[in-house]
Amino acid sequence: MSTNDTARTTVFVEGQELAAQIASGDRPVLLDVRWALGRSDGRAQYLAGHLPGAVYVDLETELAAQATPADGRHPLPDVASLEAAARRWGVRAGGSVVAYDAIGGMSAARAWWLLRWAGVLGVRLLDGGLAGWLSVGGSLEAGEVSAPAGDVVLVPGALATLDADDAAGLASAGVLLDARAGERYRGEVEPVDPRAGHIAGAVSAPTSENLDADGRFLGAQALRDRFAALGVPGASQVGVYCGSGVTAAHEVAALASIGVEAALYPGSWSQWSADPDRAVTTGPDPR
């Protein structure tokens, strides 16, 4: 197995592998992180049908602190709150965790990143999410699941983060990837944040392009090719931002799966664009 293959298996788990793991009695904690911008029915979707034994994770209240203009729409939660939530989910010291959603990992990646950032090594994303599970014959169950309390102790800082000044510097000294849709990067539309555009020097790298038509992550070679075209190989440092630090985590996961460490800017565009002292650039990627 190559280094890149090894990296991939530490980030993603395939539906067939997960099913075999559960059948063997080695059941990971399953986190259902169904959320999407502008929707509030994640819990209802979960209650209607989820992986057997999965607990629901509320992105807005458990994977983020309260939104403020100064901190952005999804600031990082304080560690004590995140630890209490993780214990409610049943996460135990040294145990394994699998997070999933129904949108190609776009929201589940936030749980993956936060737990990795807080020192939980055994957390992976279910590649293909709910559809990937169903495609291998996986069953669903309805209703709420209350997991036995976990005992995990979280220690922040295992993954790198950027603040606004770091992001501004990285855009010129390294590679700063903008994971939002291209039209938001270019400033043609801005559906939710104060100003339209992007951080000067940032590279347009829409998160959606990490996935294939079935909502699975691209293969390792395809991801290497994608990020090579964006200038990632050889960069002294790589950083990622998005609208509010959610889908940027998806890009960090994609990079981690090919052995590239990237820092995440949690405040992202929601913080940057709310600060009148921060310059905003519009137009296409100059590359």
Side-chain angles (χ1 to χ4, degrees):
M1 182 178 288
S2 72
T3 300
N4 278 307
D5 289 338
T6 302
R8 187 178 180 90
T9 60
T10 64
V11 178
F12 308 132
V13 60
E14 300 295 330
Q16 198 70 53
E17 180 189 349
L18 178 59
Q21 187 178 357
I22 292 172
S24 74
D26 183 21
R27 172 182 288 274
V29 171
L30 299 174
L31 306 181
D32 187 307
V33 197
R34 274 183 271 185
W35 172 92
L37 185 64
R39 296 186 62 165
S40 58
D41 60 347
R43 181 177 288 277
Q45 293 179 49
Y46 163 82
L47 292 173
H50 53 77
L51 269 66
V55 297
Y56 178 69
V57 176
D58 190 313
L59 187 145
E60 296 283 352
T61 63
E62 295 182 302
L63 302 182
Q66 186 173 358
T68 70
D71 295 323
R73 284 186 281 111
H74 292 110
L76 298 188
D78 69 76
V79 177
S81 297
L82 181 61
E83 182 176 280
R87 290 182 175 191
R88 181 188 72 76
W89 306 333
V91 181
R92 302 190 63 82
S96 61
V97 180
V98 172
Y100 73 91
D101 57 34
I103 52 173
M106 297 281 190
S107 55
R110 172 74 171 204
W112 171 86
W113 186 90
L114 275 173
L115 289 173
R116 285 282 182 98
W117 168 77
V120 179
L121 296 178
V123 56
R124 293 190 286 175
L125 288 168
L126 175 57
D127 195 14
L130 193 68
W133 174 252
L134 294 172
S135 73
V136 298
S139 63
L140 300 181
E141 67 178 16
E144 191 82 44
V145 172
S146 296
D151 63 0
V152 70
V153 176
L154 300 184
V155 180
L159 297 182
T161 58
L162 305 171
D163 62 19
D165 288 339
D166 296 330
L170 185 56
S172 57
V175 172
L176 180 65
L177 302 175
D178 184 319
R180 299 172 300 156
E183 59 269 25
R184 290 184 71 190
Y185 170 91
R186 295 187 297 270
E188 296 164 2
V189 298
E190 182 43 67
V192 63
D193 291 321
R195 292 183 289 166
H198 61 268
I199 298 172
V203 175
S204 181
T207 296
S208 59
E209 295 178 16
N210 295 327
L211 301 174
D212 66 17
D214 295 323
R216 298 174 184 270
F217 280 83
L218 298 175
Q221 188 57 54
L223 284 173
R224 286 194 290 270
D225 292 344
R226 164 168 160 72
F227 290 113
L230 297 171
V232 167
S236 59
Q237 188 180 3
V238 179
V240 188
Y241 75 95
C242 59
S244 64
V246 175
T247 57
H250 192 276
E251 199 123 282
V252 172
L255 287 160
S257 77
I258 57 170
V260 176
E261 295 182 7
L264 185 142
Y265 173 22
S268 281
W269 189 249
S270 59
Q271 180 187 57
W272 183 283
S273 63
D275 184 346
D277 293 330
R278 298 287 177 184
V280 169
T281 299
T282 59
D285 189 324
R287 296 174 303 114

